[in-house]
Amino acid sequence: MAHLRPLENSEVDQELREMFEHYENTRGFCPNSVKTMARRPNISKVFGQLNQVILYEGSVPKELKMLVALASSLASGCRYCQSHMSNLSSIYKAPDEKIAAIWEFETSELFTDAERAAITIGIKGGTLPNEVSSEDFDALKKYFDESQIVEIVATVALFGYLNRWNDTMATELEELPTQVTERAVGHKGWDAGKHV
C-alpha cells in the first residue's frame, strides 16, 4: 500500500492538470509517482521537464532508452519502474520477447551489439555500488557519440531517482502498466510486490 495518496486532477493547479492530461493522452494514464510528487508542485513540474528532455529528446532511439531504463530498474529492484518501463518499451515497439529477454541481453539474438553496450550501462549503473567500468565505456563508444552517451547515462540517472522515489513511497502501480508487464514477463514470475 502506498505511503501517500496520489493527488487527483481537481487537487492541483492548471499547469499540473495539463501535465497529468498529457500523460493520460500519451500513456493512457498519469503515473501515480507524478501525482504524489505534486504535493510539492515544483518537484512534479521540474521532474516532468527533466523526464521529457532525457527520454523523449535526443538521437538515441526511444526504444533503446526505455530498455536501458528497464534494465536499470531491474538492477535496482524497483518493480513499479520495471512495470512502467516494460509498458513504455512496448509503446516504443520493443516486442514482448525482447522485454522478457532483458536479463539475457548479452546472449540473446534479439539485441544488437550497440544495444548490449547501452543495456550494460543500465544494469551496472543501476546497481549499488555502481559497477560501470572503463571497459564498459569503451564498448559504448564504439556505437554512440559523446552526446548519445550523455543521453544514456542521464536515462540511468533519471531512473536512479525514480527507483528510489517509487520504492520508498511504495507507489501504487496503475492497471495499464501492470497488464503489459504481466503479458510480457509474467511467465518469468514477475509480480508487483509492494506496489499493489
Side-chain angles (χ1 to χ4, degrees):
M1 181 175 189
H3 297 298
L4 293 178
R5 174 187 63 80
L7 297 180
E8 298 297 329
N9 291 20
S10 61
E11 298 177 281
V12 298
D13 66 27
Q14 181 62 32
E15 187 178 347
L16 280 174
R17 273 196 299 279
E18 289 172 9
M19 185 174 139
F20 289 5
E21 289 168 5
H22 170 75
Y23 279 119
E24 289 165 6
N25 292 334
T26 59
R27 295 186 187 187
F29 66 98
C30 180
N32 285 331
S33 55
V34 174
K35 289 180 162 188
T36 303
M37 283 179 218
R39 283 184 166 69
R40 288 285 311 278
N42 284 341
I43 291 175
S44 194
K45 292 171 187 177
V46 171
F47 167 77
Q49 294 168 348
L50 185 63
N51 185 67
Q52 175 66 34
V53 169
I54 291 173
L55 291 182
Y56 303 101
E57 296 177 12
S59 61
V60 175
K62 289 179 185 70
E63 175 191 341
L64 179 56
K65 285 198 264 192
M66 303 311 163
L67 291 169
V68 167
L70 172 58
S72 182
S73 297
L74 286 165
S76 79
C78 179
R79 294 176 186 224
Y80 181 89
C81 292
Q82 291 169 20
S83 185
H84 274 244
M85 297 323 296
S86 293
N87 181 53
L88 282 171
S89 294
S90 181
I91 287 171
Y92 285 96
K93 308 301 181 207
D96 287 353
E97 297 77 25
K98 193 170 192 176
I99 295 167
I102 195 84
W103 279 118
E104 294 88 34
F105 74 95
E106 293 174 306
T107 58
S108 172
E109 294 177 4
L110 297 171
F111 298 91
T112 66
D113 289 341
E115 289 172 327
R116 287 185 185 97
I119 292 169
T120 295
I121 299 295
I123 294 278
K124 290 184 174 184
T127 302
L128 292 176
N130 190 306
E131 297 178 354
V132 176
S133 68
S134 295
E135 292 80 15
D136 297 324
F137 266 87
D138 290 342
L140 201 60
K141 289 174 183 177
K142 291 179 186 176
Y143 307 101
F144 301 96
D145 64 31
E146 291 181 355
S147 172
Q148 292 172 316
I149 290 170
V150 167
E151 279 183 60
I152 290 165
V153 173
T155 298
V156 175
L158 177 69
F159 277 83
Y161 169 75
L162 284 170
N163 294 159
R164 298 299 169 263
W165 175 271
N166 290 306
D167 241 14
T168 300
M169 294 298 244
T171 307
E172 182 180 344
L173 194 51
E174 304 83 4
E175 184 177 338
L176 181 60
T178 301
Q179 290 171 348
V180 172
T181 307
E182 287 174 352
R183 181 192 77 220
V185 297
H187 65 284
K188 291 197 168 223
W190 185 88
D191 69 63
K194 64 182 166 185
H195 300 284
V196 293

